[in-house]
């Protein structure tokens, strides 16, 4: 179930990579075994720390992709060609390797079922990761047959990717949406749409949000995650007093 | 003990550059941007530079006056406390020596320490002796082009023999002080002096 | 009232890096703050000493400078918190916050 952040100072833990599965040509999901993991809430992240032979260390944040209900902790990492840490996580690391991390971190960008909905998620690129944790959490909490519970908590995802092959969790999102009419997934492809693509083919803009977002009168819970320019553009459109 | 991450090297140079690198540094070919705030964009029409004595006496240059001072070309290695070093960066700027003599003519007296102050509120302290005798400049060209805002343009302090945080971006004022006072990073755990060759990264190092 | 919660990551490549894409949200400061405080500060609220506005720390702007984290007020760009980690210490400067309010329940 949803766990509160532990009331202790946060510590580094040693996780073991259970498996590493490609999601797209440039992203990979690492499933981890983390002894003593205290549980997390959807939307939280971990800090990962790598240590070289000579003691040099590099630290980066990665959102948790798995739902709190899942038995393994999953991270999905996108490879940046000239990056320091992401090429290591997406290429070098393999099952059985150890990985130092600490978490869960962040009590602000979190959602769980009791917070309620409607839930409007807007993501760009690997910004889908914490949103996926929310979608998975929603799915595991609301019993498959419970139409009523799902109707009370509808969710919509507006997800911007460069191309169709770069859509992270593409099949899983399609499968979830297919069996759950209260989950809508809307893609926009900014660069290379496949032949015959009829969906959005541009960056997320006001007109798209007007079309996809719930009206403000429905009191949606909105979570936006992605590169800073996308987040700022969306947030300034969906303005609300802070 | 921290476990070693199998196969992780970090973004560092294989071999070779070693002799030119201060301890703990690696060579980078690009020019990383570290930013502690939004990039200030002061129009040149309102930009000015001030040198100020401890007694409050000051000398001020507008942009046009500043770039009309005698210039120097500088090619140096730079070393950032976050561990990257970049070799052979070339700059053009006005030597602090030049500014000080021009300011002296206007009654500005120096003192043992200098606080550099920038647009956006950043500050850093440097001993006067580390800025004079050809050791410090205010640079406004990088390569052959105007220094871009993300790298501190229109003008930044350049003190290449100290860690690069001392080379304050967007500098607007040099204030001479009788007593040393820590600047932005120096008051948050970083070394007061910051010599890369002695690896003076943090307060208490050495 | 709808509530928008955002999280940004500085991650564009050097070439097409837009201005100030190095800016993140308060979320990014969470890990470092948790080294100092037992409660999670990003869910708390801070009152800016510069302009007096109060916001969730998670909604402040974080400049994850390689040397430390500089947390600024989105209204006035004033520095609200600064945190730096040295090998043996964590340095926190909260002079830019008049108050920080954290939920007492755990
Ligand atoms: C809260 C949070 C959650 C995150 N969650 C995820 C996640 O779920 N999945 C994910 O893939 N990522 C996530 N990130 C991003 C992640 O933390 C890393 O930033 C990312 O993996 C890149 O790290 P890297 O070491 O590979 O690249 P870096 O070496 O850090 O470089 C990043 C990019 O910037 C360029 N660059 C680096 N330094 C500079 C510089 N100084 N000036 C100009 N350009 C520069 C590089 O060339 C590269 O393109 C998250 C970030 C945050 C803050
Ligand atoms: Zn303010």
């Amino acid at each position: 179930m949803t766990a509160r952040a532990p009331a202790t100072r946060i510590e580094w833990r040693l996780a073991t990579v259970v498996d590493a599965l490609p999601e797209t040509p440039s992203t990979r999901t690492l499933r981890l075994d983390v002894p003593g993991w205290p549980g997390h809430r959807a939307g939280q992240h971990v800090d990962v720390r790598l240590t070289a032979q000579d003691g040099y260390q590099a630290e980066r944040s990665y959102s948790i992709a798995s739902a709190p209900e899942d038995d393994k902790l999953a991270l999905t990492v996108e490879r940046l060609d000239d990056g320091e840490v992401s090429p290591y996580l997406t290429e070098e690391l393999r099952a059985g390797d150890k990985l130092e991390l600490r978490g869960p971190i962040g009590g602000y960008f979190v959602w769980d079922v009791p917070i309620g909905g409607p839930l409007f998620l807007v993501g760009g690129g690997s910004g889908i990761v914490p949103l996926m944790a929310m979608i998975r959490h929603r799915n595991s909490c609301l019993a498959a047959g419970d139409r009523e519970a799902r109707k009370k908590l509808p969710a919509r995802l507006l997800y911007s990717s460069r191309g169709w092959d770069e859509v992270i969790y593409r099949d899983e999102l399609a499968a979830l949406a297919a069996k759950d009419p209260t989950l809508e997934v809307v893609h926009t492809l900014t660069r290379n749409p496949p032949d015959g693509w009829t969906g959005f083919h541009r960056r997320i803009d006001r007109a798209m949000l007007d079309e996809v977002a719930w009206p403000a009168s429905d009191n949606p819970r909105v979570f936006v995650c992605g590169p800073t320019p996308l987040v700022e553009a969306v947030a300034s459109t969906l303005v609300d007093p802070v | 003990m921290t476990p070693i991450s199998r196969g992780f090297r970090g973004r560092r140079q294989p071999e070779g550059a070693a002799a030119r690198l201060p301890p703990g540094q690696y060579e980078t070919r690009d020019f990383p941007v570290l930013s502690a705030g939004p990039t200030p964009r002061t129009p040149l029409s309102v930009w000015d530079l001030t040198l100020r004595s401890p007694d409050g006496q000051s000398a001020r240059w507008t942009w046009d006056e500043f770039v009309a001072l005698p210039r120097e070309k500088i090619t140096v290695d730079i070393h950032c406390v976050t561990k990257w070093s970049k070799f052979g960066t070339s700059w053009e700027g006005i030597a602090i020596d030049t500014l000080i003599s021009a300011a002296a003519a206007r009654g500005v007296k120096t003192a043992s320490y200098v606080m550099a102050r920038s647009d956006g509120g950043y500050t850093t302290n440097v001993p006067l002796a580390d800025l004079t005798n050809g050791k410090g400049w205010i640079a406004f060209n990088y390569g052959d082009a105007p220094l871009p805002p993300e790298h501190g343009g229109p003008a930044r302090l350049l003190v290449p023999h100290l860690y690069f945080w001392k080379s304050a971006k967007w500098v607007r004022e040099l204030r001479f002080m009788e007593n040393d006072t820590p600047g932005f990073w120096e008051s948050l755990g970083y070394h007061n002096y910051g010599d890369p060759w002695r690896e003076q990264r943090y307060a208490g190092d050495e | 009232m709808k509530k928008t919660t955002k999280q940004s990551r500085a991650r564009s490549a050097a070439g097409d890096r837009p201005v100030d894409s190095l800016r993140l949200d308060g979320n990014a400061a969470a890990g470092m703050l948790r080294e100092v405080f037992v409660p999670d500060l990003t869910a708390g609220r801070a009152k800016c000493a510069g302009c007096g506005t109060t916001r969730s720390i998670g909604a402040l702007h974080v400049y994850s400078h390689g040397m430390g984290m500089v947390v600024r007020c989105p209204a006035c760009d004033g520095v609200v918190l600064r945190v730096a980690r040295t090998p043996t210490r964590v340095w926190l400067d909260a002079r830019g916050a008049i108050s920080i309010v954290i939920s007492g329940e755990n």
Side-chain angles (χ1 to χ4, degrees):
Chain A
M1 260 315 293
T2 63
R4 285 279 182 170
T8 53
R9 236 170 247 123
I10 193 152
E11 278 165 27
W12 291 100
R13 296 169 193 278
L14 200 54
T16 304
V17 179
V18 178
D19 51 31
L21 302 168
E23 297 281 358
T24 71
S26 62
T27 53
R28 199 160 82 145
T29 291
L30 304 171
R31 290 201 312 144
L32 306 169
D33 215 0
V34 196
W37 181 249
H40 68 276
R41 301 174 69 191
Q44 288 187 300
H45 66 270
V46 296
D47 286 347
V48 166
R49 175 163 82 180
L50 303 181
T51 305
Q53 201 77 41
D54 63 357
Y56 174 82
Q57 293 189 322
E59 212 177 292
R60 297 289 185 277
S61 300
Y62 292 95
S63 299
I64 300 172
S66 44
E69 297 75 17
D70 296 346
D71 62 336
K72 299 281 181 260
L73 191 76
L75 308 180
T76 300
V77 181
E78 178 189 15
R79 180 199 147 91
L80 299 188
D81 286 338
D82 45 2
E84 181 169 37
V85 170
S86 61
Y88 177 85
L89 296 178
T90 49
E91 276 160 15
E92 181 66 30
L93 203 67
R94 54 179 187 237
D97 281 346
K98 303 282 183 206
L99 185 64
E100 248 195 320
L101 56 79
R102 63 174 179 192
I105 298 168
Y108 174 68
F109 193 86
V110 291
W111 178 81
D112 33 41
V113 166
I115 293 175
L119 185 60
F120 184 44
L121 309 175
V122 184
S126 72
I128 184 70
V129 179
L131 309 179
M132 193 64 185
M134 296 175 187
I135 291 172
R136 287 172 168 160
H137 164 66
R138 174 181 174 276
N139 188 57
S140 25
C141 285
L142 307 181
D146 194 346
R147 287 269 164 98
E148 283 315 301
R150 281 172 192 263
K151 263 197 211 133
K152 273 194 225 129
L153 223 168
R156 263 179 212 168
L157 168 70
L158 175 58
Y159 181 19
S160 172
S161 308
R162 273 189 295 251
W164 191 234
D165 292 336
E166 285 154 284
V167 178
I168 306 171
Y169 313 129
R170 194 178 73 192
D171 297 343
E172 183 180 348
L173 284 169
L176 285 170
K179 67 174 177 106
D180 179 0
T182 63
L183 170 69
E184 289 170 71
V185 176
V186 179
H187 292 282
T188 181
L189 302 178
T190 57
R191 291 202 193 156
N192 320 308
D195 290 343
W197 175 255
T198 55
F200 291 118
H201 171 29
R202 59 180 201 266
R203 288 169 179 242
I204 295 174
D205 55 22
R206 173 179 290 272
M208 198 185 297
L209 288 166
D210 284 347
E211 206 175 319
V212 181
W214 315 90
S217 55
D218 287 350
N219 296 331
R221 295 285 159 168
V222 187
F223 290 85
V224 189
C225 188
T228 307
L230 175 140
V231 171
E232 292 306 316
V234 172
S236 64
T237 306
L238 299 172
V239 257
D240 63 347
V242 189
Chain B
M1 249 310 285
T2 309
I4 306 297
S5 314
R6 183 194 55 76
F8 177 65
R9 299 200 73 260
R11 186 187 278 134
R12 274 139 343 125
Q13 232 30 40
E15 305 300 321
R20 222 167 149 178
L21 282 176
Q25 298 289 110
Y26 64 89
E27 188 199 348
T28 177
R29 301 277 157 121
D30 38 57
F31 193 167
V33 176
L34 302 185
S35 105
T39 303
R41 278 158 204 282
T42 306
L44 296 181
S45 57
V46 305
W47 187 94
D48 62 7
L49 177 74
T50 304
L51 261 63
R52 199 179 298 280
S53 327
D55 62 13
Q57 196 62 247
S58 67
R60 177 181 164 270
W61 291 267
T62 63
W63 178 258
D64 291 338
E65 292 164 349
F66 171 72
V67 294
L69 292 166
R71 311 169 167 205
E72 292 180 13
K73 290 203 184 241
I74 312 112
T75 298
V76 286
D77 296 351
I78 55 179
H79 310 291
C80 178
V81 71
T82 60
K83 302 201 168 173
W84 56 263
S85 292
K86 187 170 170 62
F87 296 152
T89 59
S90 53
W91 307 78
E92 191 170 23
I94 315 293
I96 307 292
D97 295 315
T98 305
L99 292 167
I100 288 178
S101 22
R106 302 191 212 171
V108 173
K109 289 186 280 297
T110 60
S112 304
Y113 300 96
V114 180
M115 183 69 83
R117 182 176 296 278
S118 302
D119 276 326
Y122 181 75
T123 55
T124 188
N125 56 311
V126 185
L128 179 65
D130 286 277
L131 293 178
T132 51
N133 289 317
K135 287 187 172 152
W137 295 265
I138 291 185
F140 52 86
N141 280 339
Y142 176 71
D144 286 321
L147 182 61
E150 62 273 23
H151 290 306
R156 77 182 296 165
L157 192 60
L158 180 65
V159 202
H161 69 288
L162 299 180
Y163 279 126
F164 212 46
W165 90 77
K166 296 284 186 181
S167 294
K169 293 181 189 179
W170 313 303
V171 69
R172 294 289 298 278
E173 181 190 83
L174 300 180
R175 192 160 52 82
F176 301 107
M177 314 179 289
E178 304 293 357
N179 300 309
D180 199 7
T181 313
F184 189 89
W185 292 117
E186 293 83 359
S187 62
L188 202 68
Y190 283 88
H191 198 277
N192 194 53
Y193 182 65
D195 179 351
W197 294 96
R198 287 190 274 163
E199 210 172 356
Q200 294 172 332
R201 297 178 196 275
Y202 306 108
D205 284 353
E206 195 148 332
Chain C
M1 198 203 77
K2 76 172 179 280
K3 178 159 183 345
T4 304
T5 310
K6 40 184 193 156
Q7 181 176 86
S8 49
R9 302 110 176 261
R11 49 208 332 278
S12 57
D16 62 351
R17 175 174 289 264
V19 179
D20 292 333
S21 71
L22 293 169
R23 195 181 84 210
L24 304 169
D25 300 323
N27 292 294
M32 255 209 190
L33 291 170
R34 288 291 309 274
E35 282 184 19
V36 194
F37 298 101
V38 170
D40 178 1
L41 282 202
T42 52
R45 296 173 72 78
K47 183 167 182 171
C48 170
C51 69
T53 5
T54 301
R55 283 166 211 265
S56 298
I57 292 181
L60 299 179
H61 289 166
V62 169
Y63 292 85
S64 184
H65 190 288
M67 295 177 68
M69 292 220 171
V70 180
V71 183
R72 291 178 182 262
C73 168
C76 72
D77 268 335
V79 176
V80 180
L81 297 172
R82 302 191 294 151
V83 197
R85 182 177 25 212
T86 69
T88 52
R89 297 193 170 86
V90 177
W91 294 69
L92 172 77
D93 169 7
R95 279 174 300 173
I98 292 170
S99 59
I100 294 174
V101 182
I102 322 157
S103 159
E105 95 191 36
N106 190 39

